[in-house]
Amino acid sequence: ALAPSRGGAPSCLPASRPPSQLSNAAANRAMARGFQIALLLVSCGTAAAKLAAGVAKSMPLPPVCHDITCADIQCLPPLELRRLDGQCCAICWAEDHVVGLDRHSALGGNNPYLRDSHPAAPTSCVGAKCFQPHCADGYTAGHVQGRCCESCVPGR
């Protein structure tokens, strides 16, 4: 039997007596039934959310993906939601000719702002790219212990 809701129409939950009127065994069964219903509603909501994404419904997920929860992402044009075979989650994607691509080619040639790491820099800074700092009034370029490059320090 379905329990009537406040408006008189039946609700989706079965009618039951208040817990105070049930025996311990009956109360345990009623509680277990409530947990089953809650679990069903949660799992249906999760499944509906995955279907709503509308991405690659026909492609099965790799086994490693079944314990992963993917982010609910929305892509701004010209990017489109896409999931390839072997991917767990969808990504925003566009072909290179559609989106301008920055390959940082400006650092390939002679850069007037590029500087060597500071002479007092740690040995782990080998290969670091440092740039000439532009310091505000009252600050000058100097070294801060542990850093690779010159930093702005209070004026000297």
Side-chain angles (χ1 to χ4, degrees):
L2 296 178
S5 65
R6 291 183 184 206
S11 74
C12 351
L13 300 177
S16 63
R17 292 182 287 179
S20 60
Q21 296 177 3
L22 299 174
S23 67
N24 282 342
N28 287 341
R29 283 192 304 271
M31 188 180 303
R33 179 81 173 146
F35 284 127
Q36 289 172 343
I37 291 169
L39 182 61
L40 176 66
L41 292 173
V42 168
S43 61
C44 287
T46 303
K50 287 182 180 178
L51 284 176
V55 177
K57 293 178 196 169
S58 61
M59 289 188 286
L61 286 174
V64 296
C65 299
H66 290 289
D67 292 331
I68 295 175
T69 301
C70 296
D72 182 19
I73 60 174
Q74 294 178 353
C75 303
L76 299 174
L79 299 174
E80 297 175 349
L81 204 56
R82 171 176 156 179
R83 184 176 69 81
L84 298 177
D85 285 331
Q87 285 180 306
C88 292
C89 300
I91 60 170
C92 293
W93 175 263
E95 296 290 331
D96 287 349
H97 69 277
V98 175
V99 179
L101 193 59
D102 183 4
R103 298 268 188 210
H104 298 290
S105 58
L107 296 180
N110 186 16
N111 187 328
Y113 301 103
L114 193 61
R115 300 286 181 260
D116 291 332
S117 58
H118 195 276
T123 56
S124 60
C125 293
V126 172
K129 289 201 180 280
C130 298
F131 298 90
Q132 178 181 350
H134 293 277
C135 302
D137 289 339
Y139 289 83
T140 58
H143 184 254
V144 175
Q145 186 173 349
R147 293 192 179 168
C148 297
C149 306
E150 283 189 331
S151 300
C152 293
V153 295
R156 294 184 179 144

